């Protein structure tokens, strides 16, 4: 089965976007050298773009008990389970950079249980996967399994919220046929020169 045609939901021209969205896209382009396709695709609906990225930033850019690399691990593992090519590739690149590890994203995407991660991170991903695929079965036993690894209730909320938010993102990416930018494939794989 082929993905939806990329022209079904065409990205609006940059000069037609509201100022706040155009400014954000230009800032991302300035920092990374390109505009990730998720920004362009979601700009199709400006109000939803704003809401999506406000929640994204609240979850992924905050300080707390989870490192930024661990937050990306959650995205990569759950996105792989949801078969979201865009998020596995894009967030895999971010994970490689944040973890300073060129192989971790591939390991986590294929089978986090065999990845070179800590027992704490494995427990985190076990819980994230349960929230992603079987949330109705989350119980006190799941919270108890996280406690010995030092996760407090706020950390557990973050794990669950990231998993849930990216379930939404995965479905939007799959439904729109969003493709990863080519730049993502090499990011974080080789040391900077």
């Amino acid at each position: 089965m082929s993905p939806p045609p990329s022209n079904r939901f065409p990205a609006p021209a940059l000069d037609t976007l509201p100022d706040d969205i155009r400014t954000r896209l230009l800032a991302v382009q300035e920092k990374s050298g390109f505009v990730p396709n998720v920004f362009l695709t979601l700009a199709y609906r400006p109000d939803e773009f704003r809401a999506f990225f406000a929640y994204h930033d609240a979850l992924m850019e905050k300080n707390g008990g989870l490192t930024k690399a661990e937050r990306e691990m959650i995205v990569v593992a759950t996105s792989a389970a949801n078969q979201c090519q865009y998020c596995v590739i894009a967030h895999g690149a971010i994970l490689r950079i944040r973890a300073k590890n060129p192989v971790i994203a591939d390991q986590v995407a294929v089978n986090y249980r065999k990845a070179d991660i800590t027992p704490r991170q494995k427990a985190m991903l076990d819980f994230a996967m349960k929230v992603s695929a079987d949330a109705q079965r989350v119980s006190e036993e799941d919270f108890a399994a996280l406690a010995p690894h030092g996760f407090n209730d706020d950390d557990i909320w973050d794990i669950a919220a990231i998993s849930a938010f990216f379930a939404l993102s995965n479905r939007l990416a799959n439904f729109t046929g969003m493709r990863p930018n080519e730049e993502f494939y090499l990011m974080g794989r080789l040391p900077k020169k």
Side-chain angles (χ1 to χ4, degrees):
M1 180 176 284
S2 61
S6 59
N7 61 355
R8 177 174 291 274
F9 302 104
L14 198 58
D15 61 354
T16 67
L17 291 172
D19 289 343
D20 61 318
I21 294 175
R22 183 173 52 253
T23 298
R24 180 160 185 163
L25 268 60
L26 292 172
V28 168
Q29 183 176 34
E30 177 71 26
K31 183 177 180 182
S32 65
F34 66 101
V35 178
N37 289 335
V38 66
F39 288 91
L40 298 171
T41 300
L42 295 182
Y44 180 78
R45 299 191 69 168
D47 288 342
E48 293 168 34
F49 175 102
R50 291 180 189 101
F52 180 93
F53 283 106
Y55 197 37
H56 172 278
D57 294 351
L59 290 172
M60 301 303 287
E61 300 301 327
K62 70 189 283 187
N63 293 319
L66 305 179
T67 67
K68 288 184 178 181
E70 287 171 335
R71 292 171 192 278
E72 296 296 339
M73 278 183 200
I74 295 167
V75 178
V76 172
T78 60
S79 295
N82 289 327
Q83 298 183 45
C84 180
Q85 181 187 56
Y86 184 88
C87 291
V88 170
I89 301 301
H91 288 273
I94 299 167
L95 172 56
R96 289 190 297 272
I97 291 166
R98 292 200 166 156
K100 297 178 177 49
N101 180 334
V103 300
I104 192 66
D106 296 329
Q107 291 179 346
V108 168
V110 172
N111 185 350
Y112 74 90
R113 291 171 195 88
K114 295 183 185 247
D116 296 324
I117 59 176
T118 66
R120 176 184 189 275
Q121 291 165 338
K122 182 187 174 296
M124 173 189 75
L125 294 179
D126 285 342
F127 182 69
M129 295 297 279
K130 188 168 189 178
V131 170
S132 181
D134 211 15
Q136 71 278 9
R137 297 191 187 275
V138 170
S139 69
E140 280 301 316
E141 292 161 359
D142 297 297
F143 289 84
L146 291 167
H149 297 284
F151 293 109
N152 64 31
D153 284 350
D154 284 338
D155 300 331
I156 294 168
W157 180 288
D158 285 344
I159 295 166
I162 293 166
S163 180
F165 176 78
F166 278 92
L168 162 75
S169 182
N170 298 158
R171 283 151 181 81
L172 285 170
N174 280 328
F175 139 78
T176 60
M178 197 182 304
R179 304 287 296 187
N181 303 66
E182 288 186 23
E183 291 88 345
F184 284 127
Y185 287 93
L186 295 179
M187 289 171 59
R189 292 197 185 274
L190 299 172
K192 287 188 176 184
K193 293 181 182 180

